[in-house]
Amino acid sequence: MLYIPPRWLPGGHLQTIYPSTFVRKPAVAYRRERWEAPDGDFIDIDFVDGQPGRPLVVLFHGLEGSSDSHYSRALMAEVARRGWHGAIPHFRGCSGEINLAPRFYHSGDSAELDWIIRRLKLRQQDLAATHFYACGVSLGANALLRWLGESQHQAEILDAACAVSAPLDLAGGGAALGAGFNRLYTWVFLRTMRPKCLAKLDQFPGLFDREALLSARDLYAFDNIVTAPLHGYRNTEDYWDRASAKHILHDITVPTLVLNARNDPFLPEQHLPRTAAPEVVLDYPEQGGHVGFAAGGPPGRLDWLPRRLLHFLEGRSESSFAAQTEASHG
């Protein structure tokens, strides 16, 4: 499915900002569950209840995203329209309530995804869902790719996966977000991340340097003060290097779509990997922005991206099943 951007929405910045801010999000009926995490913390998961015998799709959201993000509601509306089952786990602190542990979430949070995906696999069996798919967006896409590459064949509890606008090279993306107009995006992120960090300091005084946090003006500084030390990394450089999904694209064995627009302001084109494992499809359309991909005339629609993802998921899982069946019959 080729993405053709609307003529009235030119350029990576408009294609990023307009869909997330001005396009009407479809209504979705969610049902929330709270799960206790292995460390005694909690996560909140919003479910879309489908019909028996239909696929289950889990979506991992982006930095400071949620089930209410434009891409979340667009995908889950299409999932609901088909009668499928959907699930959106919220990363720690993103469901509207501060989490309990001295940690947040990060781009390499593959251990977090592992227990969530494995528990959802049990839910798939309870639902008699025919297939189990996973999608990730932005930070959630990078974390999903990390899990897929690190788990290798053990990740084949999924039938197929999609990663949208993943910051595959965190250092390249971090540098881009710290310069020029892109600082606007950084400001938007820090506007919600700082209050969460201050609340975390109320829970755990001295967890990190309060004054350094308040003076942070870019993600490099924020990650150096908060993200890296809280999650086992030495510093920003260590975090950005070790958590980048670009290192493990050749280790993925699950059919996976990697969809990144070449004009994504969060990750310049020169940082997009050129090769990956045979099961990985690298799809780099010329335009689309960062998790944008608006379609149609003004005021625009959000339906192209969900249709692209579900088309891939259905097609790759069916082709893989056919290949396995052919191999088993010799």
Side-chain angles (χ1 to χ4, degrees):
M1 294 175 59
L2 179 65
Y3 177 67
I4 302 176
R7 292 184 178 181
W8 55 272
L9 200 61
H13 291 303
L14 277 178
Q15 291 169 10
T16 298
I17 296 170
Y18 185 89
S20 66
T21 308
F22 299 107
V23 179
R24 184 178 180 181
K25 296 182 287 189
V28 180
Y30 289 123
R31 177 180 56 81
R32 177 161 292 192
E33 292 184 14
R34 176 160 292 187
W35 289 2
E36 182 176 351
D39 61 357
D41 202 349
F42 69 88
I43 65 164
D44 291 324
I45 302 188
D46 284 348
F47 285 92
V48 169
D49 294 321
Q51 300 171 12
R54 300 294 175 89
L56 168 63
V57 181
V58 56
L59 171 65
F60 295 99
H61 64 76
L63 182 63
E64 294 301 275
S66 72
S67 62
D68 191 51
S69 297
H70 68 289
Y71 52 82
S72 299
R73 285 185 31 188
L75 178 61
M76 288 300 143
E78 180 62 20
V79 164
R81 188 187 70 81
R82 294 176 178 222
W84 291 16
H85 309 273
I88 302 183
H90 290 87
F91 288 120
R92 310 283 183 108
C94 291
S95 64
E97 184 175 336
I98 196 69
N99 62 304
L100 305 177
R103 60 156 295 172
F104 288 112
Y105 62 101
H106 60 94
S107 292
D109 216 351
S110 54
E112 184 87 328
L113 268 67
D114 187 71
W115 78 268
I116 293 172
I117 290 172
R118 293 188 181 282
R119 183 161 171 176
L120 284 171
K121 181 66 178 180
L122 298 177
R123 181 65 59 89
Q124 177 204 0
Q125 296 167 3
D126 293 340
L127 295 170
T130 54
H131 295 86
F132 184 21
Y133 303 129
C135 298
V137 170
S138 196
L139 178 146
N142 189 91
L144 176 59
L145 292 171
R146 288 294 321 182
W147 178 80
L148 289 165
E150 293 169 15
S151 302
Q152 298 185 16
H153 290 291
Q154 294 182 11
E156 292 169 14
I157 58 174
L158 292 177
D159 294 294
C162 294
V164 180
S165 301
L168 302 160
D169 183 330
L170 290 170
L177 286 173
F181 182 85
N182 284 358
R183 292 177 180 173
L184 171 65
Y185 304 118
T186 300
W187 177 82
V188 171
F189 289 137
L190 291 176
R191 183 180 60 177
T192 58
M193 292 158 68
R194 277 202 196 96
K196 292 180 182 179
C197 290
L198 294 175
K200 189 61 61 180
L201 280 175
D202 290 338
Q203 290 177 312
F204 301 96
L207 187 62
F208 44 80
D209 189 321
R210 177 188 177 93
E211 295 307 316
L213 166 69
L214 293 175
S215 65
R217 293 293 179 266
D218 55 32
L219 293 182
Y220 180 94
F222 180 89
D223 286 343
N224 218 32
I225 298 159
V226 179
T227 312
L230 257 59
H231 302 109
Y233 299 98
R234 293 191 306 274
N235 50 34
T236 295
E237 286 88 353
D238 184 45
Y239 165 48
W240 284 359
D241 177 49
R242 288 168 53 200
S244 290
K246 66 177 183 178
H247 301 307
I248 47 76
L249 292 180
H250 286 274
D251 299 324
I252 295 173
T253 65
V254 172
T256 301
L257 172 68
V258 177
L259 178 66
N260 282 66
R262 295 178 185 270
N263 70 344
D264 184 342
F266 287 37
L267 187 69
E269 179 181 355
Q270 65 265 28
H271 299 297
L272 294 174
R274 301 301 172 189
T275 61
E279 289 291 344
V280 177
V281 175
L282 301 177
D283 185 1
Y284 300 151
E286 290 296 327
Q287 300 190 60
H290 185 76
V291 203
F293 302 105
R301 304 190 313 273
L302 299 173
D303 58 349
W304 183 87
L305 183 58
R307 289 189 290 107
R308 173 71 180 101
L309 301 184
L310 298 188
H311 175 78
F312 174 85
L313 294 172
E314 285 186 300
R316 289 308 295 262
S317 61
E318 289 171 4
S319 62
S320 295
F321 177 76
Q324 292 169 8
T325 302
E326 181 179 346
S328 67
H329 292 308

